[in-house]
Each structure stands twice: as structure tokens, then as C-alpha cells.
């Protein structure tokens, strides 16, 4: 079981042993009568959850070791990451870096610095960790890192 609060504090997500993700609307402006929405996923047994710093993408770590990526707006699947031999119990996104925020660095070019902002780290019961270079997942701007 896991829960994650969006960086803007406007929503939260939770996962558990079933194949559902619950999205809780925490915004003050919400006129919705339903404080939460339940989404079905393909995999039961979820033990880790992380929301990217721009609140657009979430990662869910499953007991089978797979990491599922979803849009937080539509909950459309963005892909599956497979590496861990056993359950994935830890996930963390890097801080998204905008190109205009990059300052000069002699050792790395600005594109490399920006691409590191799309990383996702995962850790599993198998004592293995992985750093995944991801895409931005923005329409018309699919940066392949």
C-alpha cells in the first residue's frame, strides 16, 4: 500500500493490494460532489507510488516487480518498466528541470542537465535499484532521454 501527495497539494493518489488507483481531489475550487475517483489498472498488488514534480505523470510499483507509468489527468497508460525480479517497493522521480533554469556547467551540456530531470529511480525486494531515463510525455515534445 502506498499514498502520494501531488507537489501542488491539489490531489493525492493511493494504491493497495487490489488493481485500483484512487485519486483524491484536494483542491479548494473543486465543485465535484465526489471527493475521489477510482481507476482500474491491469496489475493487482501495488506497493509503491510516486508523482513527478510537474504532477503530470505517476509511477506505480507492483509486487511482480514491474513499474507502470500513467498520466495523472486521464490515467492512460504511458508504459511499463521491467527490471526487478521481485516486488518494487520504492520509487522516486527526479526534480523536473526546465531549460530556462539551467545555468552554465563546464562538465555537462544544458541538454544533458535537462534530461536528468526526467529520471525515475526504483528499488525492489531483490535489493536491486534502477535509474530509468524517461521521456517528457508532452504532446509534440517527446524528448527521448
Amino acid at each position: 500500500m502506498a499514498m502520494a501527495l501531488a507537489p501542488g497539494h491539489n490531489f493525492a493518489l493511493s494504491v493497495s493490494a487490489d488493481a485500483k488507483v484512487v485519486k483524491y481531489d484536494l483542491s479548494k475550487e473543486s465543485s465535484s460532489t465526489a471527493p475521489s475517483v477510482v481507476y482500474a489498472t491491469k496489475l493487482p498488488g501495488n506497493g509503491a507510488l510516486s508523482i513527478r514534480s510537474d504532477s503530470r505523470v505517476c509511477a506505480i510499483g507492483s509486487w511482480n516487480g514491474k513499474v507502470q507509468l500513467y498520466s495523472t489527468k486521464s490515467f492512460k497508460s504511458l508504459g511499463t518498466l521491467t527490471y526487478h525480479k521481485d516486488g518494487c517497493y520504492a520509487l522516486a522521480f527526479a526534480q523536473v528541470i526546465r531549460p530556462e533554469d539551467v545555468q552554465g556547467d563546464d562538465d555537462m551540456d544544458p541538454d544533458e542537465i535537462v534530461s536528468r530531470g526526467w529520471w525515475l529511480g526504483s528499488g525492489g525486494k531483490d535489493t536491486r535499484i534502477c535509474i530509468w531515463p524517461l521521456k517528457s510525455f508532452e504532446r509534440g515534445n517527446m524528448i527521448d532521454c
Side-chain angles (χ1 to χ4, degrees):
M1 295 187 340
M3 186 171 208
L5 179 63
H9 300 180
N10 57 334
F11 71 92
L13 301 174
S14 68
V15 295
S16 64
D18 57 16
K20 297 175 184 168
V21 178
V22 181
K23 183 177 183 178
Y24 305 92
D25 185 2
L26 305 176
S27 64
K28 293 179 182 178
E29 302 85 35
S30 175
S31 61
S32 174
T33 57
S36 63
V37 179
V38 178
Y39 297 95
T41 65
K42 296 178 183 178
L43 295 173
N46 298 308
L49 177 62
S50 185
I51 301 172
R52 197 170 70 182
S53 63
D54 63 1
S55 299
R56 298 181 68 162
V57 177
C58 72
I60 300 172
S62 300
W63 295 347
N64 67 359
K66 293 182 181 180
V67 176
Q68 300 286 330
L69 300 172
Y70 293 96
S71 161
T72 57
K73 184 176 181 181
S74 65
F75 267 87
K76 175 185 168 191
S77 178
L78 300 175
T80 302
L81 306 173
T82 306
Y83 175 72
H84 298 286
K85 298 180 186 298
D86 209 344
C88 177
Y89 294 110
L91 292 168
F93 279 101
Q95 181 73 26
V96 173
I97 303 167
R98 298 177 307 185
E100 57 269 16
D101 294 337
V102 175
Q103 297 180 4
D105 187 337
D106 295 335
D107 297 333
M108 295 171 44
D109 75 45
D111 290 338
E112 184 179 358
I113 294 170
V114 169
S115 72
R116 289 184 178 197
W118 304 117
W119 286 359
L120 169 68
S122 65
K125 186 176 179 181
D126 55 7
T127 70
R128 299 166 66 177
I129 61 168
C130 185
I131 297 176
W132 304 92
L134 301 177
K135 298 178 180 183
S136 73
F137 296 112
E138 292 180 17
R139 277 191 196 162
N141 187 21
M142 296 297 281
I143 301 170
D144 193 3
C145 302

